Amino acid sequence: MLEFGCHHHTLELTVGAAFYDLFQNSKDPNLPFFEKLEKEWDTINKGNYRTAASARKLRCIPEADELIKFCREQLKERQPRGDYEESLQLILVFLGSVVPGKVVYTFKKPGCRSKCRWMAIIIYSMKSWMFGKKLKLKPEEDSNLFKLCVFLCRAYVRTWFLAPLSPQAPRNDLAYLQVLYRNKDEGSHWEAALEKFMNHLWYLSATSVPMALFDNGVAVDEKRRMVAALRRGTDRSPPSPRAEVQLDDTVLDLKLSDFCSKQSLRFFSATAISTDFLKKDPEHWKSDSDGLNIVTHFKIVNDCAERGVALINRNLKGNTLTVDEEQRQLLLLVVANDRKQHQLRS
């Protein structure tokens, strides 16, 4: 059996660590810092906002051009939720770019600030900073908000939207680990995110990293090194479900093959994927699609959990419809099925 942590949840923990390093945490189930934005929204002139470009701060985001291209490509694809699409659009606006298909961008009214809403930090951080002058933020609040927006742009957004792609998970997590380490001196919020992520290297474990063998983004030479590493070490003790990495400058030199060992062969027995293709040179693996089909269909995110929370809050809030648990579950099924059918018709 393979052990995976929800990829979106592990990333959410890292951005949460960065956020709470910059802003005080609380037991409030919502994000209280953004309450001011919600209260002042109707009085704000939505056409008067600042961007990183207009504030001459784009130099803080050297990856801006690449991120703009990435967000535009993502917007061409069907997003599972409206707030995913809104997040991509807000990133483009924040970077001073144009949202495809929008002559004038219309900001959406703030909605749920729940900590259970994964996109809340992206959406409200961007809006709060862009309308920061209207909200009369304190200098420290304004500075910390911009630091968080930079973190989101430089490290988080790309990793988040690629998280459901299981073959890419090891490569993306290694890249995320390295960008966090490379920028750890940029502020304690980077360090906080790095420390949190170090506890959640599920997809770099010996038994998970073989997924990268089916990732077309991994170079052929690196796949050769990964195959060679499968003969390294022993397979006597149970493998750890998460990789353990020494936190020093060697992190920047790590390759996917460094996480492979004989224990990685357990991946193939757990998934019933034949290892016959390993006898061929990786340059000729493209013809072997069975393993790729299996790995591609791994569910490594649990977005339905967030949707379930939203479903309960929206339809059964306050137990106004029923207090009987069995009836509550039946109501949830009815609503969920209706939403599914509506989605199929749209």
Side-chain angles (χ1 to χ4, degrees):
M1 179 182 293
L2 300 176
E3 295 185 57
F4 296 146
C6 171
H7 211 186
H8 271 160
H9 180 60
T10 58
L11 294 174
E12 181 200 24
L13 291 174
T14 65
V15 77
F19 178 82
Y20 294 125
D21 181 80
L22 294 167
F23 302 97
Q24 186 176 3
N25 196 357
S26 73
K27 295 182 179 180
D28 193 318
N30 297 311
L31 295 165
F33 177 77
F34 300 120
E35 185 177 359
K36 184 184 294 186
L37 175 70
E38 186 177 352
K39 288 183 176 180
E40 300 291 334
W41 185 255
D42 291 337
T43 66
I44 292 176
N45 178 3
K46 313 305 187 298
N48 186 11
Y49 58 90
R50 58 181 171 174
T51 68
S54 66
R56 300 182 183 277
K57 292 188 175 184
L58 269 183
R59 64 184 182 279
C60 299
I61 311 171
E63 306 87 352
D65 289 342
E66 293 179 16
L67 184 57
I68 288 172
K69 182 179 179 181
F70 174 80
C71 289
R72 287 178 174 170
E73 289 298 320
Q74 287 293 310
L75 284 170
K76 292 178 183 178
E77 301 178 12
R78 181 182 176 88
Q79 297 299 323
R81 290 174 55 116
D83 53 358
Y84 284 37
E85 183 178 61
E86 183 184 7
S87 297
L88 291 165
Q89 293 173 344
L90 286 172
I91 293 291
L92 289 175
V93 175
F94 172 77
L95 294 174
S97 184
V98 176
V99 177
K102 308 283 185 181
V103 177
V104 177
Y105 183 70
T106 302
F107 290 91
K108 294 182 179 179
K109 185 175 182 177
C112 176
R113 291 183 287 110
S114 172
K115 293 177 180 177
C116 296
R117 187 185 181 194
W118 287 337
M119 309 308 289
I121 289 181
I122 296 179
I123 291 173
Y124 292 114
S125 296
M126 292 289 169
K127 287 181 180 177
S128 294
W129 185 82
M130 285 192 279
F131 293 107
K133 291 185 178 180
K134 304 299 179 183
L135 297 176
K136 297 180 180 179
L137 297 174
K138 297 176 182 178
E140 183 180 6
E141 292 175 334
D142 188 76
S143 174
N144 285 345
L145 262 180
F146 184 74
K147 289 177 182 178
L148 184 62
C149 290
V150 169
F151 171 84
L152 293 171
C153 289
R154 298 198 64 191
Y156 188 72
V157 171
R158 181 182 178 86
T159 308
W160 168 273
F161 279 94
L162 295 178
L165 305 178
S166 45
Q168 296 183 22
R171 175 165 58 95
N172 290 334
D173 274 15
L174 179 56
Y176 188 52
L177 174 65
Q178 290 173 333
V179 75
L180 291 178
Y181 184 84
R182 191 177 296 115
N183 291 281
K184 62 182 175 61
D185 295 330
E186 294 294 321
S188 57
H189 57 298
W190 284 90
E191 285 189 276
L194 175 61
E195 290 177 8
K196 182 64 70 173
F197 192 52
M198 287 288 289
N199 297 325
H200 296 279
L201 302 179
W202 299 90
Y203 298 97
L204 291 174
S205 70
T207 52
S208 297
V209 76
M211 288 194 292
L213 293 170
F214 303 94
D215 177 7
N216 290 332
V218 176
V220 170
D221 285 344
E222 179 59 13
K223 289 183 179 180
R224 291 186 182 120
R225 286 189 287 268
M226 291 178 69
V227 173
L230 296 178
R231 298 188 291 270
R232 188 171 58 205
T234 62
D235 188 21
R236 296 176 182 174
S237 59
S240 172
R242 292 167 290 187
E244 297 179 3
V245 174
Q246 186 174 343
L247 200 55
D248 55 32
D249 287 351
T250 58
V251 166
L252 300 176
D253 298 320
L254 286 173
K255 302 287 190 296
L256 292 171
S257 53
D258 294 322
F259 298 92
C260 291
S261 67
K262 276 190 176 180
Q263 290 186 326
S264 301
L265 292 172
R266 296 193 181 199
F267 169 84
F268 298 99
S269 58
T271 58
I273 296 175
S274 172
T275 57
D276 290 345
F277 75 100
L278 296 175
K279 300 174 184 177
K280 303 177 184 179
D281 187 84
E283 197 169 352
H284 305 295
W285 283 357
K286 290 184 179 180
S287 59
D288 294 285
S289 59
D290 291 344
L292 177 61
N293 288 336
I294 293 174
V295 173
T296 300
H297 286 88
F298 283 171
K299 299 297 183 183
I300 62 173
V301 295
N302 190 24
D303 292 6
C304 58
E306 184 189 15
R307 293 174 193 145
V309 171
L311 192 65
I312 291 175
N313 286 337
R314 188 176 298 114
N315 297 283
L316 296 176
K317 191 174 182 179
N319 293 323
T320 55
L321 294 179
T322 179
V323 295
D324 183 83
E325 181 59 28
E326 184 177 355
Q327 292 300 313
R328 283 168 59 88
Q329 295 300 322
L330 290 173
L331 278 170
L332 285 173
L333 286 173
V334 170
V335 175
N337 286 332
D338 180 74
R339 288 175 61 181
K340 184 177 180 181
Q341 291 300 318
H342 179 76
Q343 186 178 29
L344 289 174
R345 291 193 296 268
S346 61

